[in-house]
Amino acid sequence: MKQAVAPNNKRAASTTDDIQGLRRARVLGRLRKDKWMYVLLTPGLLYFIIFKYVPMWGVLLAFKNYQPFLGFWKSDWVGLEHFRIFFENPEFFMLLRNTLLLSFYNLVFFFPAPIILALLLNEIRINVYKRTIQTLIYVPHFISLVIVASLTYVFLTTEGGLVNEIIQQYTGAKINFLASPDWFRPMIIIQTMWKECGFGTIIFLAALAGVDVEQYEASIMDGANRLRQMWHITLPSIRSTIIILLILRMGDILDNGFEQIFLMRNPLNREVAEVFDTYVYLMGITQGAFSYSTAVGLFKSIVGVILVLGANWTAKRFGQSGIY
């Protein structure tokens, strides 16, 4: 009986070795065939490893009482103490409210803007006009936020600002836009729309380029006008792109952008301008609370991941394509 089993075992082992050998040969063949593609991939891969994955060890600071003179490893382990302090801080709800409100306004006003602009650009049939308009609306994306904040100051300041001079001519009074808490959020949303709306149309225009032209021709034969074509053909054709970008946007719901908020905030509008990003800078850089600020940043990242996964799950439940 043993003599009958042994050849079978040898045969099975030989078959397994042959399969593994074929797999190795295929992998090596693909590597040799696409070697230059992998060489081109190397800089991007190194970038993510060095600047994205290696710094993840820094999140351990959120669970330590980091002291620079003791170093990273010798600092005391405190567990979730910094998170408890943060959640019990009276400013927590102010930060959460300000961050969520800005993100909500961005979703309501800014997110649909590139879609609408792309639909309007798609309706322009004269290529010269279309390309000229595209170039003009792309330019603000390449302007630094420092320049954007400076232009905002020049236009809205009460000391000779163009907008306030016009308002004064008609009403006899000036509005202190830059220091008013009521005007802070509208200013941020308008800045974001002016700077990024045009550049955001690139993805949607690329999606619109893949819409089947025959569908438009068939709808014309059925008597559909431009508006009905847009509603029944164009929008459904780019629905998957819109959903994917919306899911990715949900991950940034607690990320309002540090630079823009920091440049526009001041002591008079701090109650509506302070968000998680500026708070991390305030506590970590200016006050030296490295572990505490790391805990705040980690909390923000975890919430972003949960929102992305939740949005993706919801999209799948409704039969739409997600990010995975």
Side-chain angles (χ1 to χ4, degrees):
M1 187 68 182
K2 291 181 179 178
Q3 292 177 353
V5 172
N8 291 333
N9 290 339
K10 289 182 179 180
R11 211 176 294 117
S14 176
T15 304
T16 304
D17 293 339
D18 291 342
I19 293 173
Q20 292 178 350
L22 287 172
R23 288 176 179 174
R24 285 195 294 267
R26 288 176 182 175
V27 171
L28 292 174
R30 289 175 182 174
L31 289 174
R32 283 194 296 266
K33 180 181 178 182
D34 301 324
K35 59 182 178 180
W36 295 116
M37 297 298 292
Y38 289 106
V39 170
L40 291 174
L41 178 67
T42 303
L45 190 62
L46 290 175
Y47 166 79
F48 277 96
I49 291 173
I50 296 172
F51 296 104
K52 300 296 182 180
Y53 288 97
V54 173
M56 283 185 181
W57 287 102
V59 302
L60 291 176
L61 286 179
F63 307 98
K64 287 176 169 283
N65 185 20
Y66 177 70
Q67 301 294 333
F69 59 88
L70 291 177
F72 184 82
W73 297 111
K74 293 184 179 181
S75 297
D76 295 333
W77 182 272
V78 295
L80 301 176
E81 181 66 17
H82 296 300
F83 293 93
R84 183 188 63 80
I85 296 172
F86 176 54
F87 295 142
E88 292 178 355
N89 192 330
E91 291 189 328
F92 171 74
F93 290 102
M94 179 196 73
L95 296 170
L96 186 64
R97 182 188 67 245
N98 293 342
T99 304
L100 290 178
L101 279 175
L102 275 175
S103 297
F104 173 75
Y105 292 149
N106 270 319
L107 280 176
V108 173
F109 297 104
F110 170 65
F111 183 77
I115 302 172
I116 296 171
L117 188 56
L119 292 174
L120 294 175
L121 287 171
N122 191 56
E123 295 299 316
I124 299 177
R125 300 301 181 219
I126 304 177
N127 287 330
V128 175
Y129 293 156
K130 184 176 182 178
R131 290 172 183 172
T132 303
I133 294 172
Q134 283 180 286
T135 303
L136 291 175
I137 63 177
Y138 290 167
V139 169
H141 171 77
F142 301 99
I143 298 176
S144 169
L145 280 170
V146 177
I147 305 300
V148 174
S150 301
L151 291 173
T152 304
Y153 178 83
V154 169
F155 279 102
L156 299 181
T157 180
T158 55
E159 304 298 327
L162 177 62
V163 175
N164 264 312
E165 291 297 325
I166 295 173
I167 293 174
Q168 187 179 30
Q169 287 184 1
Y170 287 97
T171 64
K174 293 183 178 181
I175 301 174
N176 194 355
F177 294 101
L178 300 174
S180 173
D182 296 331
W183 284 100
F184 176 78
R185 293 185 185 113
M187 278 195 305
I188 295 298
I189 300 304
I190 292 171
Q191 283 181 349
T192 304
M193 292 180 66
W194 177 76
K195 187 176 187 300
E196 302 295 343
C197 188
F199 196 78
T201 61
I202 292 176
I203 296 176
F204 297 107
L205 286 173
L208 289 171
V211 179
D212 189 2
V213 180
E214 292 182 358
Q215 296 185 38
Y216 292 108
E217 295 174 353
S219 64
I220 293 173
M221 297 295 293
D222 292 335
N225 56 26
R226 286 285 183 86
L227 187 60
R228 286 188 174 275
Q229 292 175 17
M230 187 184 299
W231 182 258
H232 294 288
I233 299 175
T234 308
L235 281 175
S237 298
I238 63 173
R239 182 171 52 195
S240 60
T241 303
I242 295 173
I243 291 173
I244 289 173
L245 291 177
L246 181 59
I247 292 172
L248 295 175
R249 181 65 186 171
M250 293 300 294
D252 295 331
I253 199 118
L254 295 185
D255 187 3
N256 300 119
F258 165 76
E259 188 176 358
Q260 183 184 17
I261 306 296
F262 182 76
L263 291 170
M264 297 305 300
R265 67 189 283 275
N266 55 62
L268 296 176
N269 62 18
R270 182 183 180 274
E271 62 182 76
V272 298
E274 197 75 78
V275 295
F276 287 119
D277 295 308
T278 56
Y279 186 71
V280 168
Y281 169 80
L282 176 67
M283 300 304 296
I285 304 299
T286 64
Q287 298 188 20
F290 300 111
S291 295
Y292 179 75
S293 60
T294 303
V296 177
L298 182 58
F299 161 76
K300 191 184 76 168
S301 300
I302 292 172
V303 172
V305 171
I306 293 172
L307 288 172
V308 167
L309 296 177
N312 187 75
W313 178 83
T314 304
K316 290 291 187 66
R317 284 292 296 256
F318 285 94
Q320 303 298 324
S321 58
I323 57 176
Y324 62 87

